[in-house]
């Protein structure tokens, strides 16, 4: 199946989370996949951010990722996921916050200026740390991605209703049908 960066892959609501979500099924060592392992996908991620990321003020500026910053950028991505995932689960985040701040500083210091993906991602993460209402951040009940729930009553359970919501519903329906026909 050919891969493209679709709106679904930008369900995080902010750049920092969209970057963290470029690892698929992070929690499952068997199925885990890193979309940035393919240099073409990483390259295609830059224009996709500009077009699809909800954090418009940062996204529209993104024009490049400095190739020499690939490792540093991935470290930032892991630090973003580790800190915000633990914060969402109300776990101890002291060390993770320190690591994230270091990764942010590192990417700002060695990044390619305001047009670079790593700079914009670092700024997005910094913004998110100080954002009031961390309770709006959630972990998708189906795929484990982090996302911001901007719904009025904070009732979102899935990163993307059209994808993960429907998969869960279809699976429930399937199991119910099976129980009915196969008691
Ligand atoms: Zn999901």
């Amino acid at each position: 199946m050919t891969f493209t960066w679709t709106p679904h892959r930008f369900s995080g609501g902010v750049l920092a989370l969209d970057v963290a979500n470029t690892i698929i099924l992070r929690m499952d060592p068997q199925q885990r996949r890193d979309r940035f392992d393919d240099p073409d996908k990483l390259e295609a991620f830059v224009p996709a951010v500009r077009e699809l990321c909800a954090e418009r003020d940062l996204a529209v500026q993104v024009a490049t990722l400095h190739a020499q910053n690939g490792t540093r950028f991935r470290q930032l991505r892991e630090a973003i996921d580790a800190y915000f995932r633990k914060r969402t689960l109300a776990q101890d985040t002291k060390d993770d916050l320190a690591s994230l701040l270091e990764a942010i500083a590192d990417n700002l210091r060695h990044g390619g200026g305001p047009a670079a993906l790593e700079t914009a991602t670092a700024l997005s993460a910094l913004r998110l740390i100080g954002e009031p209402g961390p309770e709006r951040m959630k972990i998708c009940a189906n795929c484990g991605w982090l996302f911001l729930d901007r719904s009025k009553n904070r009732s979102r359970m899935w990163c993307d209703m059209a994808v993960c919501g429907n998969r869960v519903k279809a699976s429930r329906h399937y199991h119910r049908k099976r129980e009915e026909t196969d008691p």
Side-chain angles (χ1 to χ4, degrees), residues 69-138:
N69 285 340
T71 307
R72 201 173 271 130
F73 179 58
R74 285 186 195 213
Q75 280 165 355
L76 173 63
R77 176 180 62 171
E78 295 318 294
I80 288 168
D81 192 89
Y83 170 70
F84 289 110
R85 193 170 292 275
K86 283 193 185 171
R87 190 178 84 172
T88 304
L89 295 167
Q91 294 172 351
D92 179 22
T93 54
K94 187 166 56 68
D95 291 345
D96 300 280
L97 179 57
S99 299
L100 176 55
L101 289 168
E102 279 161 7
I104 289 170
D106 203 28
N107 276 268
L108 289 175
R109 189 172 290 126
H110 302 284
L117 177 60
E118 66 271 26
T119 306
T121 306
L123 292 174
S124 172
L126 195 57
R127 216 179 244 184
L128 210 52
I129 292 170
E131 188 155 288
E135 70 279 1
R136 287 217 176 252
M137 196 178 294
K138 291 187 177 173

Side-chain angles (χ1 to χ4, degrees), residues 25-98:
L25 298 171
R26 186 184 283 272
M27 304 328 217
D28 182 345
Q30 305 285 312
Q31 296 192 67
R32 177 190 164 103
R33 243 181 304 160
D34 183 347
R35 297 294 183 198
F36 289 169
D37 280 348
D38 178 348
D40 290 346
K41 284 176 197 160
L42 177 56
E43 201 181 311
F45 187 69
V46 170
V49 163
R50 220 163 34 231
E51 193 193 330
L52 298 170
C53 177
E55 198 169 11
R56 296 314 302 158
D57 62 327
L58 287 175
V60 290
Q61 298 182 48
V62 172
T64 175
L65 169 70
H66 280 216
Q68 69 271 27
N69 285 340
T71 307
R72 201 173 271 130
F73 179 58
R74 285 186 195 213
Q75 280 165 355
L76 173 63
R77 176 180 62 171
E78 295 318 294
I80 288 168
D81 192 89
Y83 170 70
F84 289 110
R85 193 170 292 275
K86 283 193 185 171
R87 190 178 84 172
T88 304
L89 295 167
Q91 294 172 351
D92 179 22
T93 54
K94 187 166 56 68
D95 291 345
D96 300 280
L97 179 57

Side-chain angles (χ1 to χ4, degrees), residues 140 143 159 164:
C140 175
C143 72
C159 66
C164 284

Side-chain angles (χ1 to χ4, degrees), residues 8 11 139-145 147 157-160 163-165:
H8 164 61
S11 307
I139 297 171
C140 175
N142 183 51
C143 72
W145 276 355
F147 67 92
M157 285 179 70
W158 297 288
C159 66
D160 184 341
V163 178
C164 284

